[in-house]
Amino acid sequence: MTSRFGRSRFGGSTATLLITSVAIGLVGGLALGAIAAMLRPDDPTWVVLLVFTASTLPIVAALAWVLLVDRATLTDAPRNPGDSIESAWLDTAASGAFWDIVAAAGLGAAALTFADGAGFSPSVAPVLVGLLVLAALDVGARYLHQRKIHG
Amino acid sequence: MRNSVAQARAGLGWSQQRLADELGVSRQTVISIEKGRYDPSLPVAFRLARVFGTTIEELFIPED
């Protein structure tokens, strides 16, 4: 029997899988929040802990679900996802986005080199986050384009 | 590449979802193959031929 969120590869119901995933997300989020709070001694500890836990909990919970779920118990999940057209669309999108990121990183590095010479040195974290967001949006847009022309 | 997948499927009276389940791929994959917008991988082509009891050469016709 299949369901929208499937069942764990270690057995149990869908509810068990979801509760386990959220629990792992909570523990992981709290751990990351605690690390962030320790690394930011000047900021209010509870605020940092709360913000980091709240923002990382869904990500860690989703990751836990991905690692725990048995694909065969998911409704409409194909047995051979690698042979499906969606996989080909994703491969094409990721391949195109890779070269976009190489170009963006190259142009960005050149721009930052000049900016550094002019006394402007942005911190690394926002730049990397920007690159990550650009990569995700690029893959998403290219995937939708593939689906439109081949779907 | 042209193909006769849609005709072969209709011959068996199967829906696109049924064929997708037999092949282990998404229904969208079957739709795109039948429209000639997607050339399947060799394993899928062999599975199609086996499902329809025919050969790859009879199912897929190169256009050039």
Side-chain angles (χ1 to χ4, degrees):
Chain A
M1 189 173 145
T2 62
S3 68
R4 182 176 171 80
F5 291 103
R7 296 192 307 279
S8 169
R9 61 182 69 194
F10 303 108
S13 65
T14 299
T16 307
L17 171 62
L18 292 177
I19 290 168
T20 306
S21 300
V22 171
I24 292 172
L26 187 61
V27 171
L30 277 171
L32 291 170
I35 292 170
M38 278 192 296
L39 295 174
R40 292 168 172 264
D42 295 338
D43 296 326
T45 303
W46 286 106
V47 174
V48 173
L49 184 68
L50 195 68
V51 168
F52 270 81
T53 302
S55 54
T56 55
L57 187 156
I59 300 166
V60 180
L63 189 62
W65 178 82
V66 167
L67 293 174
L68 291 174
V69 73
D70 177 2
R71 285 194 77 261
T73 63
L74 289 170
T75 304
D76 294 335
R79 276 194 321 278
N80 307 301
D83 287 334
S84 290
I85 191 170
E86 290 85 353
S87 176
W89 292 342
L90 184 61
D91 286 347
T92 304
S95 174
F98 169 77
W99 294 112
D100 290 343
I101 295 304
V102 168
L107 291 171
L112 289 177
T113 302
F114 285 114
D116 194 39
F120 173 67
S121 301
S123 52
V124 176
V127 173
L128 289 178
V129 169
L131 205 58
L132 191 65
V133 170
L134 175 69
L137 291 176
D138 196 355
V139 171
R142 285 176 173 275
Y143 182 91
L144 290 176
H145 179 65
Q146 287 294 312
R147 191 171 74 174
K148 187 176 180 184
I149 60 175
H150 295 297
Chain B
M1 195 176 296
R2 291 184 293 118
N3 67 75
S4 55
V5 171
Q7 295 91 316
R9 177 178 62 77
L12 291 178
W14 286 3
S15 66
Q16 290 173 327
Q17 185 62 60
R18 167 82 192 274
L19 179 57
D21 291 342
E22 292 288 335
L23 298 173
V25 299
S26 65
R27 180 169 165 264
Q28 180 63 57
T29 305
V30 172
I31 292 171
S32 296
I33 290 172
E34 289 187 353
K35 285 180 177 175
R37 292 178 179 174
Y38 176 57
D39 294 334
S41 64
L42 206 50
V44 174
F46 273 110
R47 263 180 262 153
L48 276 166
R50 192 173 64 241
V51 160
F52 294 133
T54 183
T55 61
I56 292 177
E57 291 86 347
E58 286 183 15
L59 272 179
F60 294 93
I61 306 107
E63 287 184 300
D64 50 1

